[in-house]
């Protein structure tokens, strides 16, 4: 089970980013193997279609859950059809480390 | 400019992406698939698999009854074309959103949804506590549509009400008190 987290930096101390599609880095984390991967977001500066491009990127890594503090309007139907779960953490300044510890539960 | 289409609500995406014809001739036929939209699939499912009438199904999809009938007619037409011409059916596209439940976690305060209806969510996917609250955002427009048609016949003369019998138009019913023709409650013709 792989989980993607939208992060604003590439360290464990970086915070969760305010938007999903235009975040700085995606962290793909696997709680079973505790493996993590930081992927720089290539769609960061796209004018349009950043959401679907980011979903495609994460789908190609077979992510099943996405943690972000906000999702765009067009994301939900896309993720629902791919059966990816959305986890919305509103307005918090949790770091990657804290989220990973929570995901280990 | 034409008016923007309203979003159609689809409960679940279909299990499969489409259908392929088989048999010795199937290879020689035109490979161009017929594109069945998600909303057309949903219309077919609601009205022929779940056996709802067009009005009930239109409320489920969040569109008007005439729009639902149009979507349904287009679905039948496409399927018939695929059957007769031996074409593939690809189920994709359309102006839809998928319905999935939303939950809130009492432990960490996060919101999450359940993309798979078959599975029941018991614990928060983020922090793992079992204290979760289910949210179902009620769709106001759907309720308004539903209120518009009540299954009650009413007499415009004396206000007598009786339950509507399916299949019999209200204006075929006669009021037992004043022998006036009945009307459907909530329609423009009846004043009550």
């Amino acid at each position: 089970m792989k989980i993607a987290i939208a992060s604003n930096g590439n360290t464990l101390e970086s915070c969760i980013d305010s938007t999903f599609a235009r975040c700085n880095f995606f962290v793909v984390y696997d709680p079973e193997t505790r493996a993590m991967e930081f992927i720089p977001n290539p769609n960061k500066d796209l004018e349009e279609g950043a959401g679907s491009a980011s979903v495609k990127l994460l789908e190609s890594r077979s992510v099943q859950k996405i943690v972000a503090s906000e999702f765009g309007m067009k994301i939900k139907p896309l993720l629902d059809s791919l059966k990816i779960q959305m986890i919305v953490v509103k307005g918090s300044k949790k770091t990657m480390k804290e989220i990973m510890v929570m995901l280990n539960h | 400019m034409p008016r923007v289409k309203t979003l159609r609500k689809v409960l679940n995406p279909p299990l499969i992406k489409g259908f392929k014809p088989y048999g010795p001739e199937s290879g020689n036929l035109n490979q161009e698939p017929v594109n069945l939209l998600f909303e057309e699939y949903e219309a077919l499912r609601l009205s022929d698999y779940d056996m709802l009438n067009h009005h009930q199904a239109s409320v489920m999809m969040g569109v008007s009854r005439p729009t639902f009938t149009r979507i349904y007619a287009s679905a039948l037409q496409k399927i018939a074309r695929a059957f007769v011409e031996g074409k593939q059916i690809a189920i994709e596209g359309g102006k839809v959103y998928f319905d999935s439940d939303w939950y809130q976690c009492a432990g960490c305060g996060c919101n999450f949804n359940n993309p798979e209806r078959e599975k029941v969510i018991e614990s928060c996917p983020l922090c793992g506590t079992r204290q979760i609250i289910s949210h179902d955002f009620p769709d106001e427009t759907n309720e308004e549509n539903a209120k518009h048609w009540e299954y009650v016949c009413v007499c415009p003369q004396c206000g007598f009400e009786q339950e509507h019998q399916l299949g019999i138009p209200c204006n075929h019913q006669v009021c037992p008190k004043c022998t006036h023709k009945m009307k459907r409650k909530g329609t423009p013709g009846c004043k009550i």
Side-chain angles (χ1 to χ4, degrees), chain A residues 1-51:
Chain A
M1 165 88 70
K2 279 186 181 172
I3 300 164
I5 312 163
S7 157
N8 68 1
N10 59 356
T11 59
L12 282 176
E13 270 65 49
S14 20
C15 289
I16 189 162
D17 204 286
S18 56
T19 53
F20 159 68
R22 291 184 174 80
C23 66
N24 292 334
F25 285 85
F26 287 115
V27 185
V28 177
Y29 178 60
D30 191 336
E32 281 148 33
T33 58
R34 309 243 161 146
M36 65 181 96
E37 184 186 6
F38 285 81
I39 309 166
N41 188 356
N43 318 311
K44 205 180 132 190
D45 301 318
L46 278 187
E47 294 244 323
E48 233 176 88

Side-chain angles (χ1 to χ4, degrees), chain B residues 2 7 23 37 49 65 79 117 122 136:
Chain B
L7 274 174
L37 303 176
Y49 185 79
R65 207 277 310 148
I79 291 168
R117 288 201 150 243
E122 286 173 341
D136 259 324

Side-chain angles (χ1 to χ4, degrees), chain A residues 3 64-65 67 71 76-90 94 99 101-105, chain B residues 12-13 15 38 96-100 102 108-116 118 121 123-128:
Chain A
I3 300 164
Q64 286 174 353
K65 291 177 184 178
V67 184
F71 289 90
K76 186 164 178 289
L78 251 175
L79 290 182
D80 275 348
S81 62
L82 297 168
K83 299 211 168 170
I84 297 174
Q85 189 176 39
M86 299 156 72
I87 304 171
V88 187
V89 190
K90 272 247 163 82
K94 288 199 170 72
I99 288 176
V101 169
M102 282 165 92
L103 286 171
N104 286 335
H105 54 260
Chain B
N12 265 340
L15 292 173
F38 279 138
V96 296
Y97 70 99
F98 294 95
D99 188 30
S100 60
W102 280 94
C108 57
C110 71
N111 293 296
F112 53 94
N113 71 341
N114 179 12
E116 288 178 72
E118 299 83 43
I121 289 199
S123 59
C124 171
L126 191 60
C127 61

